[in-house]
Amino acid sequence: MTVSVYQRACKFLTSIVYTHWNLIGSLSTKEAVPIVEQLMHKTKKNTNPKYSIFGKVFYKMPSYYRRAAIAFALGQVSSFVTRYRDWQSRQSRNKRTAKPPKLTIGSNCYPALYKGQCYRLDSLQEVDVKLFNGKKWIWETIKISTVRNRHEVSENKQLSPYLIEKNGKWNLAVPFHCKPEKKEGVNRVVSVDQGINTTAVVSVVDSIGTVIYREFIHPGRDIDRRDKRLKSIAKKASRTMGKGGKLHKGFCSNTYRKCRNINRQIAHQVSKRIVEIAINFDCAVIAFEYLKNWKPKGGKKRSNLKQKFHGWLKSLIRNYTEEKWLELGGKVKDVISRGTSSNAYDGSGKVKRDKSNYALATFSNGKRYNCDLSASYNIAARAIQELTRRNDSQGRSSRSSSRSHRSRAVLCDLWVHSNSTIA
C-alpha cells in the first residue's frame, strides 16, 4: 500500500510539474521542489494552494515521501522534454516515420527512504520503516533476513535506501558511495580468454613472462540447462507455425526470460571466480580481449554454432568483472584481440587448429597445446607491455622471423625482454 500510494502521488505530481515546466524548467532540483510544494501543499502560510486536492487524496503523506515524489516527477519531465526536443530537431530520429517520445508517468518507481524520517536502523537484525496501512502512516518493525558485505568496509558511505518489490519479496536496496584504495603495480596480471567451447580460460602471468596459475572456468550444468530450454523453444516453434506459418508476439516469453536469467547467473559465477583469482594472487590488473564490435563469420543460419555465438556472454562477463573489480580498487585492461589465438605463445608463428577438437592446436614446431590457454598467455603479455613498456615496442625482438617488429606481443616477448635486461 505504501508503494501504491507513492506511485499514485508520482503520477499526480508529474502532471503538475509538466503543466508548470516553463516556470521551473530552468531551476535546479533543490530550487524547484519548494515551488512545486507551494502549488499543492497547504500550510499556515500557504492557505490556498492551486492544487489543494492533493492534500485530500494523499492525507497526511509524510513530507519526505512527498519531496521524493516531487524529485522523481522533475526527473521524468526533464527527461521527456529533452528527448522531445531532440526528436523535433531530428537528432534522435533513425527513420522519417519515427514516433515522438511519450511522457511516462510513475512507471515502476519506488520510494527513497530518508534516515530518521522514513526508516530507523539500529542493528542488522531488524529495521523500522514508516509505512501506510490503508488509513494512516505508522512505524512498522520488520526483520532483516539477509545482508551483503558492503557495510563492512569502513570507507564506504551508506546512502538512502529504496523500498523495492521483486518477485513477491521486499528489499531495501541500499546504495553505497565507495572510494577504494587503488591497487598499484603490474608485477602480475590476470588474463582472461573467452571462448565458445570454454567459457573462460584464466591465467596469472608476471612481468617476466612466468605463468604462475591457470584455470578453466566452464559452468557446464547451467549452460546445459539454458541450451535445453532453447531447444524446447525450437520444437514448440516448429509445431506452432509448421512450414509457412508465423509466431505470435511474445511466443515462449517465459522461457526466454528464464534463459536470460540463467545467462546472468553464469556471468556472475564466472566474473566472481575471476575476481577471486585476482585477489588470491595479489594482482592489480585484469586483462580482456577487446571484443565490443566483433561479429562472428562462421556458422550457417539456424545452426548450432550460430546459436552458440548468439548466446556468447563475452560482454556480460567482462562488464560484471569490471564492476566487481573496480569496487575493490583494481583496473580492467582491454587489449587488441587480433592474433591472440592464431599465434603461438612461444613465438613459433601461426598455429593450426585441430578439426575434431577446435580448442586443440598444433604449433609450427610440432608442439600440441590448448589454443585458448595459449591465447590467455598472449593477452597477459600484451597487457603487461602496454602498461609497462609503452614506447619501446618498435625495437623489441622476436623468435619468429615471420612476425614483424610492429606486430602485437606474445608471451615469448616478455622472455626476450627479461633476458636482455639480465644480460
Side-chain angles (χ1 to χ4, degrees):
M1 286 184 286
T2 303
V3 173
S4 177
V5 169
Y6 178 79
Q7 291 179 349
R8 285 166 50 206
C10 288
K11 292 179 182 179
F12 192 102
L13 291 167
T14 301
S15 61
I16 295 176
V17 170
Y18 184 62
T19 303
H20 299 274
W21 186 249
N22 292 332
L23 175 65
I24 60 179
S26 59
L27 304 177
S28 63
T29 303
K30 191 175 182 179
E31 296 171 339
V33 168
I35 295 177
V36 177
E37 277 193 319
Q38 290 179 1
L39 293 171
M40 36 70 68
H41 182 55
K42 185 178 180 180
T43 60
K44 289 183 179 180
K45 295 183 179 180
N46 186 27
T47 57
N48 189 22
K50 187 172 184 178
Y51 303 97
S52 58
I53 192 174
F54 182 88
K56 299 177 182 179
V57 177
F58 305 98
Y59 183 66
K60 288 190 176 181
M61 186 177 185
S63 59
Y64 282 85
Y65 278 107
R66 183 178 66 246
R67 289 166 188 167
I70 293 173
F72 175 81
L74 289 169
Q76 290 288 95
V77 176
S78 176
S79 174
F80 166 72
V81 171
T82 303
R83 289 183 289 114
Y84 191 80
R85 285 175 180 170
D86 291 342
W87 178 83
Q88 282 184 319
S89 61
R90 297 185 179 182
Q91 292 182 7
S92 61
R93 295 195 200 183
N94 297 326
K95 298 180 181 179
R96 293 182 61 186
T97 57
K99 295 182 180 179
K102 295 182 180 180
L103 176 60
T104 54
I105 301 178
S107 59
N108 297 327
C109 58
Y110 293 99
L113 308 182
Y114 294 93
K115 189 175 182 180
Q117 303 294 330
C118 300
Y119 84 99
R120 294 193 294 254
L121 184 64
D122 297 327
S123 65
L124 295 177
Q125 282 72 37
E126 58 184 21
V127 60
D128 297 331
V129 184
K130 202 167 193 177
L131 302 174
F132 185 67
N133 65 353
K135 295 182 180 180
K136 58 183 180 179
W137 295 84
I138 60 173
W139 286 96
E140 289 280 354
T141 302
I142 304 170
K143 291 184 179 180
I144 299 174
S145 59
T146 56
V147 294
R148 294 189 178 179
N149 56 2
R150 285 193 177 94
H151 63 280
E152 297 175 357
V153 182
S154 58
E155 291 80 8
N156 292 348
K157 182 182 178 182
Q158 180 180 329
L159 306 178
S160 299
Y162 282 84
L163 182 64
I164 293 178
E165 185 271 334
K166 185 177 181 182
N167 299 328
K169 296 181 180 180
W170 291 91
N171 305 285
L172 282 181
V174 186
F176 283 85
H177 184 254
C178 304
K179 284 187 176 180
E181 294 184 3
K182 291 186 177 181
K183 297 179 180 292
E184 297 181 357
V186 288
N187 294 329
R188 294 177 180 178
V189 169
V190 177
S191 60
V192 184
D193 178 72
Q194 301 184 76
I196 301 298
N197 298 317
T198 305
T199 306
V201 180
V202 183
S203 298
V204 179
V205 182
D206 64 8
S207 57
I208 62 173
T210 304
V211 180
I212 301 171
Y213 180 79
R214 55 192 182 182
E215 182 176 329
F216 293 83
I217 305 175
H218 188 68
R221 181 179 296 178
D222 294 324
I223 293 173
D224 291 342
R225 283 197 302 126
R226 179 198 64 190
D227 294 343
K228 187 177 180 181
R229 283 176 169 80
L230 291 174
K231 287 181 180 179
S232 68
I233 294 174
K235 291 180 180 179
K236 291 178 182 178
S238 62
R239 293 174 184 173
T240 302
M241 64 181 180
K243 293 183 178 180
K246 292 184 178 180
L247 298 175
H248 62 84
K249 187 178 181 180
F251 176 76
C252 290
S253 59
N254 286 332
T255 308
Y256 279 118
R257 176 181 55 80
K258 292 178 182 178
C259 293
R260 287 194 297 270
N261 291 338
I262 293 173
N263 281 338
R264 292 193 190 98
Q265 178 66 18
I266 294 171
H268 275 300
Q269 288 179 0
V270 175
S271 61
K272 182 181 179 181
R273 182 56 190 157
I274 294 170
V275 171
E276 287 177 352
I277 294 171
I279 294 172
N280 293 338
F281 289 92
D282 195 21
C283 300
V285 179
I286 299 177
F288 285 88
E289 292 176 295
Y290 184 77
L291 299 171
K292 187 175 181 180
N293 299 320
W294 183 88
K295 292 183 179 180
K297 297 180 180 179
K300 296 181 180 179
K301 194 174 182 181
R302 297 187 182 90
S303 64
N304 292 333
L305 183 58
K306 203 74 172 179
Q307 185 173 343
K308 282 185 177 181
F309 279 121
H310 185 70
W312 194 13
L313 306 178
K314 55 181 177 63
S315 300
L316 205 58
I317 292 173
R318 191 254 180 223
N319 293 338
Y320 284 166
T321 304
E322 184 176 24
E323 291 172 3
K324 293 179 175 67
W325 192 229
L326 288 179
E327 188 174 336
L328 298 175
K331 181 180 180 180
V332 173
K333 178 70 177 176
D334 293 315
V335 301
I336 296 174
S337 61
R338 188 175 183 84
T340 53
S341 300
S342 59
N343 290 324
Y345 74 90
D346 60 356
S348 58
K350 297 286 184 180
V351 303
K352 186 178 181 181
R353 295 287 189 98
D354 197 316
K355 293 183 179 179
S356 58
N357 185 4
Y358 200 66
L360 194 63
T362 304
F363 294 178
S364 299
N365 55 14
K367 181 191 294 186
R368 302 270 285 174
Y369 208 78
N370 187 284
C371 189
D372 298 332
L373 198 58
S374 174
S376 68
Y377 299 162
N378 295 337
I379 293 169
R382 294 183 182 187
I384 291 171
Q385 285 219 342
E386 289 186 19
L387 292 168
T388 59
R389 299 187 292 275
R390 294 177 180 270
N391 299 323
D392 64 346
S393 58
Q394 296 287 336
R396 62 182 174 80
S397 60
S398 173
R399 290 188 179 183
S400 174
S401 59
S402 61
R403 292 169 56 246
S404 63
H405 294 294
R406 295 191 178 187
S407 64
R408 295 292 174 174
V410 294
L411 186 64
C412 74
D413 294 303
L414 297 182
W415 303 341
V416 172
H417 190 276
S418 61
N419 292 334
S420 61
T421 304
I422 295 172

